[in-house]
Amino acid sequence: MATMTAPAPQTPKPTRKDYESDQEVRWCPGCGDYSILAQMQRVCADLAIPREKLVFVSGIGCSSRFPYYMNTYGFHTIHGRAPAIATGVKCANPDLMVWVMTGDGDGLSIGGNHMLHTLRRNVDLKIVLFNNRIYGLTKGQTSPTSEMGKITKSTPIGSIEHPIQPVAFALAAEATFVARAIDGEPQHMQEVLKRAAQHKGVAFVEVFQNCNIFNDGAWEYLTAREIRDDRIIELRHGQPMKFGKNLDKGLRLKGFRLEVVQLGQGVSESDLLVHDETDEDASLAFLLSRENPDLPVPIGVFRSVSHPTYDGLMKAQIDDYTSKRGKGDLRKLIHSGQRWTVGA
Ligand SMILES: Cc1ncc(C[n+]2csc(CCOP(=O)(O)OP(=O)(O)O)c2C)c(N)n1
Ligand code: SF4
């Protein structure tokens, strides 16, 4: 008689709710952070990432409250130090997917040095930088992305600092995945976060995020419905760089610079630049990342290349050394060499 085997129990596909914690969300009503949280929860559900494999690490700031709201592992750490702590988490637990959630102040001011080295080392971390061009938590002082001349509580007669461009910074550090999204474009943000999650190596995502209390409308000059199509260009790998309401404008190279051209006036699609996110040479991506009032602002994936990861190289080095020299003995090491006894 044929034996019947019972079908293996099916685990239901997770939903966004599975990734929501029971904590009350304490961001101001209308804050752009809500959108980032919602898209992240959707992406985790869509990719069915097991909750016990996920860790969110943050520094200090409104954005850094993020780990409380995810029903996963998480650390709310110290100002600017999330990349360092996340590096430790990832190196000690290579199976985990580790996200760093940071703000423009947290990640680029006090944490700028840590961010730089994490990016250049290609630690397999996913970094989301909430850029609201202000310090939100401390009630509206200038941040490293605030525009020149900005009036804030810390700059009552105008900021005299030139702002940093987070995407240009990440590209200059040779980050292997660099992208940009907008809080008000949820579908596009999901695509970008999914790509970041799937990237092997450091993934840096800048999100234009509105702080409606201390810097309301900071991105309106790009994102307002009436002008959005003319001010923003979506980068798509392998596609010509077109933009505009009727997709009738494009970008091409003129010498070492980018220029906007109108299609149809002696200019055809074949004259336009074609986006290649896999180009090892990040020069064009860097050109695209530069702020220029004459050019549209790119969103999407600027760069996605494959390099060995820091955590992978570290493990390989330790494994190789251990196979040659055997397992180490920390106690023996500490008690070896010259020692002193400090008397009373
Ligand atoms: C060592 C240290 N210095 C300064 C502060 C004060 N502080 C708290 S959050 C913050 C900046 C937060 O700005 P940002 O990273 O842009 O985050 P947002 O609140 O806008 O999300 C500062 C300066 C601190 N908590 N610790
Ligand atoms: S202060 Fe700004 S960034 Fe912070 S929660 Fe409120 S709206 Fe959001």
Side-chain angles (χ1 to χ4, degrees):
M1 201 172 92
T3 45
M4 301 257 294
T5 35
Q10 295 273 306
T11 20
K13 196 169 167 10
T15 67
R16 177 187 158 188
K17 283 238 158 291
D18 294 311
Y19 297 88
E20 281 174 9
S21 78
D22 60 0
Q23 299 295 298
E24 182 199 344
V25 182
R26 285 166 56 185
W27 288 317
C28 309
C31 173
D33 291 1
Y34 287 93
S35 171
I36 305 174
L37 178 64
Q39 307 334 316
M40 180 65 81
Q41 288 164 341
R42 287 195 181 102
V43 165
C44 291
D46 281 358
L47 297 177
I49 309 168
R51 290 188 299 119
E52 67 277 12
K53 294 272 180 219
L54 273 168
V55 188
F56 287 85
V57 185
S58 66
I60 297 294
C62 296
S63 36
S64 288
R65 296 193 58 78
F66 200 94
Y68 293 119
Y69 308 139
M70 293 296 296
N71 190 9
T72 62
Y73 289 109
F75 295 93
H76 186 190
T77 71
I78 44 178
H79 206 6
R81 303 302 177 256
I85 290 159
T87 299
V89 173
K90 181 68 191 177
C91 289
N93 308 272
D95 292 346
L96 301 179
M97 180 188 280
V98 185
W99 292 80
V100 170
M101 308 309 278
T102 185
D104 41 296
D106 185 58
L108 295 173
S109 187
I110 194 168
N113 177 32
H114 289 250
M115 181 68 79
L116 173 75
H117 294 291
T118 304
L119 295 172
R120 77 162 171 95
R121 286 174 182 152
N122 197 32
V123 189
D124 187 16
L125 301 175
K126 324 295 145 213
I127 303 172
V128 184
L129 187 132
F130 299 38
N131 187 3
N132 54 21
R133 309 187 89 173
I134 203 83
Y135 287 176
L137 187 74
T138 47
K139 299 187 167 49
Q141 302 84 9
T142 43
S143 88
T145 57
S146 297
E147 53 283 20
M148 184 87 128
K150 190 178 190 74
I151 308 266
T152 70
K153 286 175 186 146
S154 59
T155 54
I157 51 171
S159 163
I160 49 168
E161 293 181 28
H162 190 74
I164 194 167
Q165 301 291 324
V167 166
F169 169 82
L171 288 167
E174 299 286 330
T176 53
F177 181 97
V178 181
R180 183 186 278 143
I182 304 177
D183 58 2
E185 304 270 350
Q187 290 301 332
H188 182 263
M189 198 202 304
Q190 281 174 44
E191 257 181 65
V192 168
L193 292 179
K194 248 183 223 172
R195 291 280 319 274
Q198 289 161 336
H199 178 72
K200 183 83 187 143
V202 77
F204 178 89
V205 180
E206 175 190 21
V207 182
F208 289 165
Q209 173 250 329
N210 194 38
C211 168
N212 56 319
I213 302 300
F214 295 110
N215 204 16
D216 196 21
W219 301 109
E220 281 279 300
Y221 73 103
L222 301 170
T223 59
R225 198 166 288 278
E226 328 70 73
I227 52 157
R228 183 210 178 278
D229 293 330
D230 287 321
R231 293 297 295 122
I232 289 176
I233 182 166
E234 272 184 48
L235 299 175
R236 297 256 166 221
H237 180 62
Q239 300 292 317
M241 294 186 198
K242 286 199 292 185
F243 69 104
K245 212 177 187 60
N246 304 313
L247 288 180
D248 57 354
K249 290 187 246 190
L251 289 181
R252 76 173 176 192
L253 264 186
K254 188 180 181 194
F256 289 115
R257 296 184 198 286
L258 292 169
E259 72 168 352
V260 171
V261 285
Q262 183 73 42
L263 287 168
Q265 298 170 2
V267 181
S268 72
E269 208 170 292
S270 60
D271 295 313
L272 302 183
L273 282 164
V274 172
H275 183 47
D276 179 6
E277 64 186 30
T278 64
D279 194 347
E280 271 297 329
D281 182 343
S283 308
L284 188 56
F286 190 73
L287 214 51
L288 286 162
S289 73
R290 305 275 299 132
E291 198 175 30
N292 182 337
D294 297 332
L295 299 177
V297 172
I299 60 170
V301 178
F302 286 69
R303 184 173 207 236
S304 177
V305 294
S306 177
H307 291 182
T309 64
Y310 179 89
D311 35 300
L313 289 170
M314 191 188 92
K315 184 175 181 312
Q317 194 176 53
I318 292 172
D319 288 350
D320 180 49
Y321 204 69
T322 309
S323 75
K324 289 181 188 140
R325 301 284 303 263
K327 241 179 158 348
D329 182 335
L330 192 58
R331 176 175 288 273
K332 219 164 113 192
L333 179 71
I334 291 170
H335 289 89
S336 65
Q338 270 189 321
R339 284 181 293 144
W340 295 267
T341 303
V342 180

